[in-house]
Amino acid sequence: MKSYPLLSLLFLLLFISQTAAAQSSLVFEGTWIAEAPPSSRVMVAYMEIKNTSDQVEKIVSASSENFKRISFHQTQQENDMAKMKHMDMLTIPAKGKLVLEAGSHHIMLFNPVKKLKAGDQVNLDLKLENGDVIKLVVPVKKQPMDHSHMHH
């Protein structure tokens, strides 16, 4: 009966190796969610996603127990006006990267189930086109002040 610990260890190693394989081609850096003003029901997630594989990777959906709805958007300039365009998925080029930042691609997080503030952590699940799910823990941070519009 001493084989049970060994068998359990083998299953654990198999699970870890499959999980690592599912996440190995995408690398997430600088992940954060901007703290929202008190009256806002929308938050925004930013990050850099690097694709180390030779294949295009597509994130087709996102979910979190902290939000009722999540979608992908891209800010585009049209006639000197910034407009948000809904994106069906986030596409990360082979051997390339996709930067999610203000004024570009980003993840919109709608209707938080509780007030989230700087220092909180959010579990975010990203589903890939192949069905794999990548689980991230994303910190909520205060948005840096933009002083570029101020005149002295």
Side-chain angles (χ1 to χ4, degrees):
M1 295 294 157
K2 292 184 179 185
S3 65
Y4 287 117
L6 181 58
L7 191 58
S8 296
L9 179 62
L10 287 173
F11 277 120
L12 179 63
L13 289 173
L14 179 63
F15 174 76
I16 290 170
S17 67
Q18 286 181 334
T19 303
Q23 297 180 17
S24 64
S25 67
L26 294 181
V27 178
F28 296 82
E29 295 179 350
T31 60
W32 67 290
I33 295 172
E35 183 181 57
S39 61
S40 179
R41 303 292 299 150
V42 180
M43 298 178 82
V44 184
Y46 303 111
M47 63 192 71
E48 184 173 298
I49 309 168
K50 293 181 181 176
N51 182 357
T52 61
S53 79
D54 294 327
Q55 304 294 318
V56 170
E57 290 282 358
K58 295 179 181 179
I59 300 172
V60 296
S61 67
S63 61
S64 171
E65 72 274 6
N66 296 101
F67 298 93
K68 294 194 175 160
R69 186 169 64 90
I70 299 176
S71 62
F72 308 127
H73 289 90
Q74 180 181 18
T75 304
Q76 295 179 328
Q77 294 291 334
E78 290 180 18
N79 301 325
D80 294 331
M81 300 251 329
K83 294 188 177 189
M84 272 199 298
K85 178 183 172 193
H86 173 78
M87 309 292 290
D88 291 330
M89 66 188 71
L90 297 176
T91 303
I92 304 91
K95 297 287 186 192
K97 68 181 177 179
L98 178 64
V99 178
L100 280 57
E101 61 188 353
S104 183
H105 291 88
H106 52 278
I107 300 174
M108 300 291 296
L109 310 154
F110 297 95
N111 301 313
V113 296
K114 68 174 186 145
K115 177 71 178 143
L116 294 166
K117 59 188 182 320
D120 289 339
Q121 302 278 323
V122 171
N123 293 321
L124 184 62
D125 293 346
L126 301 176
K127 185 175 181 182
L128 302 179
E129 188 176 46
N130 67 7
D132 289 345
V133 175
I134 296 174
K135 296 181 174 293
L136 299 176
V137 178
V138 184
V140 177
K141 297 181 179 181
K142 288 193 181 296
Q143 191 146 3
M145 293 293 289
D146 179 7
H147 298 285
S148 64
H149 65 282
M150 297 182 74
H151 300 283
H152 296 281

